[in-house]
Amino acid sequence: MFNKLRTRFLIVNLVTISIIMLVAFAAIYIFTYRNVQADIYMALHRIADMQERGPGGGQGPRGSGGGGAMPAGQGPIDPYQPERSVSFMVQTDASGTLTGKESKFTMDDELYTAALKEALSQGKDTGQFTLDGSRWIFMVKPASSGQQLVFMDITAQQQILTNLIYTFAAVGLLTLVILYFTSRYFAGRSIAPVREAFDKQKQFIADASHELKTPLTIINTNADVLLANSEDTIRNQAKWLQYIKSETERMTRLVGDLLYLTEMDDARTRKLHSRFNMSEAVENIILTMESVLFEKNISFDYDIQPELTVPGNPEQIQQVVMILLDNAVKYTNPKGAVHISLHKQNSDVLLSVSNTGEGIAAEHLARIFDRFYRTDTSRARKQGGYGLGLAIARSIVDQHQGRIYVNSVVGASTTFYVQLPRMA
């Protein structure tokens, strides 16, 4: 599915860029072509005017009908005429027979005759033709005894336009090759987050289904036991009912956590921007957990800097502290130690919750905040965990524009950090 999506993205990208390049190249070519054609016709008219003026400003000689052809190199010179342009003029009578020719270049008589034949065959006042591998343009002007035809070699100008097309084709092809590999790379990069989100969603559904399957199986089994002893009293079967109630409560907590995460992801839970005393919020959570720490024989100390305020939702921040402190208690060995601190760090507030214990291996640190992810599945199930607590904590911290991260030393300790901005 994602390969098809990447291919479609790549095709759309290449087609769009190809159309843009084609339009751009066509616009440049048309603009250049018109400029070249305008220059050609301007030069052609100048040559015609120059030939009419002659060397003395009047009517020039006209071959056999007007004094013969001018010697090579003796024709009139126009300072605006390109020196590289070969040109000549012929004169005909009313029947189209060559009566005179004039050029400042040495040419074969056959060229005059062939050029005149090509021009008269088109029956137009101006046009172009190819002769002996060269491209010529001509213009027909009426004369007193017939017609005057001016010819100019435009092979160089035509070659410029041809080379321009080849250049555009080469540049376009090279650009498309580069764009193909570039687009393929970025298409893969663009699809990667979608693929990751899709994979996480699939994993999330699979994990949620698995977590719900276990309590449902237990409930169904205990219900079968009750039905098999339908004549027995409720008091005698209270054990099975207690199992059903316990699993139902676990499912209720699980569903509640899932709904909460969904609300956080959909941004339906708005962050309150009112400031609150975070020091007091953390101390309140500590008071509720002291008895639990005492019962588990865990050493506990804390260092809370007073009167630290942050913008946000105090209930949500207390939930984050509760999650981290609860995890610290769960994963601290008997006679271990838990430490919590809250201090100002530059323009932020830094909360840290650390505990002694087995620690978290490096390969688990990158996924510790993923939903349903647990480093020790069997131990987490015994303690009633689903692997959603840290995911909820990260969602809350992200909503408060903060940062949560963890450092751990295997076999020694684990410390979770929550960094929140003091200014909204």
Side-chain angles (χ1 to χ4, degrees):
M1 180 182 71
F2 291 102
N3 290 333
K4 291 183 179 179
L5 183 61
R6 185 184 65 178
T7 302
R8 290 179 182 177
F9 179 83
L10 183 61
I11 292 174
V12 171
N13 192 29
L14 289 177
V15 170
T16 302
I17 294 176
S18 299
I19 293 175
I20 294 174
M21 284 197 308
L22 183 61
V23 172
F25 288 165
I28 295 173
Y29 180 80
I30 291 172
F31 179 78
T32 306
Y33 177 83
R34 289 181 176 179
N35 286 340
V36 170
Q37 293 297 320
D39 291 341
I40 289 173
Y41 281 102
M42 185 179 297
L44 189 63
H45 281 87
R46 287 173 179 168
I47 293 172
D49 294 341
M50 175 190 65
Q51 298 286 6
E52 286 183 357
R53 290 195 303 269
Q59 184 71 26
R62 297 300 176 212
S64 60
M70 293 184 64
Q74 298 299 316
I77 300 176
D78 184 357
Y80 296 103
Q81 179 184 353
E83 296 182 358
R84 291 178 296 176
S85 296
V86 178
S87 62
F88 62 89
M89 185 177 70
V90 300
Q91 185 174 7
T92 68
D93 56 18
S95 63
T97 303
L98 178 66
T99 59
K101 52 187 180 294
E102 183 177 342
S103 175
K104 66 176 182 176
F105 302 97
T106 303
M107 299 182 183
D108 295 336
D109 290 340
E110 294 179 356
L111 178 62
Y112 296 110
T113 304
L116 177 61
K117 182 180 179 181
E118 288 284 347
L120 293 178
S121 66
Q122 295 189 15
K124 299 185 296 184
D125 291 337
T126 182
Q128 299 180 16
F129 60 87
T130 302
L131 183 63
D132 295 336
S134 299
R135 191 71 177 171
W136 295 86
I137 187 172
F138 69 90
M139 182 176 64
V140 181
K141 300 183 69 175
S144 58
S145 59
Q147 293 179 324
Q148 292 178 355
L149 289 86
V150 182
F151 296 87
M152 187 175 71
D153 186 359
I154 59 170
T155 304
Q157 292 89 333
Q158 199 67 32
Q159 189 64 39
I160 291 175
L161 295 175
T162 303
N163 291 339
L164 186 61
I165 294 177
Y166 290 151
T167 302
F168 282 162
V171 171
L173 183 61
L174 179 62
T175 303
L176 286 178
V177 172
I178 295 174
L179 285 174
Y180 171 78
F181 291 103
T182 304
S183 299
R184 184 181 178 89
Y185 171 75
F186 283 106
R189 290 284 299 271
S190 300
I191 296 300
V194 181
R195 184 196 298 270
E196 183 180 358
F198 182 78
D199 292 340
K200 284 185 177 181
Q201 188 70 16
K202 286 176 58 179
Q203 187 64 39
F204 173 75
I205 294 173
D207 291 338
S209 301
H210 180 74
E211 293 294 344
L212 289 171
K213 181 180 179 180
T214 301
L216 286 174
T217 302
I218 295 174
I219 291 173
N220 185 62
T221 302
N222 285 279
D224 288 339
V225 172
L226 290 174
L227 291 174
N229 299 278
S230 57
E231 296 180 357
D232 205 346
T233 63
I234 293 179
R235 182 183 298 274
N236 292 335
Q237 302 194 70
K239 177 175 63 175
W240 314 113
L241 293 173
Q242 186 61 40
Y243 290 157
I244 292 175
K245 185 176 184 300
S246 175
E247 294 302 321
T248 303
E249 290 175 349
R250 291 184 72 245
M251 282 198 303
T252 301
R253 290 195 301 271
L254 173 59
V255 172
D257 289 343
L258 293 176
L259 290 175
Y260 185 80
L261 280 171
T262 303
E263 290 175 355
M264 297 291 291
D265 290 342
D266 292 341
R268 287 197 295 262
T269 303
R270 291 186 177 183
K271 183 183 72 170
L272 298 178
H273 292 280
S274 60
R275 302 190 67 84
F276 70 96
N277 191 322
M278 186 171 176
S279 300
E280 291 184 0
V282 175
E283 289 174 352
N284 291 336
I285 297 300
I286 291 175
L287 291 175
T288 61
M289 293 293 294
E290 279 185 331
S291 59
V292 177
L293 293 163
F294 179 77
E295 290 179 1
K296 291 183 174 290
N297 195 21
I298 295 175
S299 175
F300 177 65
D301 66 299
Y302 57 89
D303 182 12
I304 307 298
Q305 183 175 341
E307 303 301 325
L308 291 180
T309 61
V310 295
N313 188 316
E315 287 78 14
Q316 290 182 348
I317 296 301
Q318 283 184 324
Q319 185 175 4
V320 172
V321 179
M322 177 64 76
I323 290 171
L324 297 180
L325 198 51
D326 182 62
N327 274 1
V329 172
K330 286 180 180 178
Y331 294 98
T332 300
N333 294 330
K335 297 183 179 180
V338 172
H339 175 77
I340 183 170
S341 68
L342 180 68
H343 290 91
K344 180 174 65 174
Q345 185 181 65
N346 298 325
S347 61
D348 299 330
V349 170
L350 183 64
L351 170 73
S352 66
V353 179
S354 60
N355 66 278
T356 59
E358 299 177 1
I360 303 172
E363 63 267 20
H364 297 300
L365 292 178
R367 298 190 57 193
I368 197 68
F369 295 102
D370 291 350
R371 298 172 183 179
F372 294 110
Y373 188 81
R374 289 167 295 198
T375 58
D376 189 344
T377 304
S378 60
R379 181 176 179 181
R381 289 187 185 280
K382 291 178 181 179
Q383 295 173 340
Y386 294 103
L388 292 176
L390 292 177
I392 292 174
R394 183 177 63 177
S395 296
I396 294 174
V397 173
D398 288 345
Q399 193 181 59
H400 285 74
Q401 300 178 356
R403 190 165 72 99
I404 183 171
Y405 54 98
V406 58
N407 289 329
S408 184
V409 178
V410 177
S413 64
T414 300
T415 303
F416 284 88
Y417 297 93
V418 175
Q419 189 173 350
L420 296 174
R422 299 179 62 197
M423 302 298 293

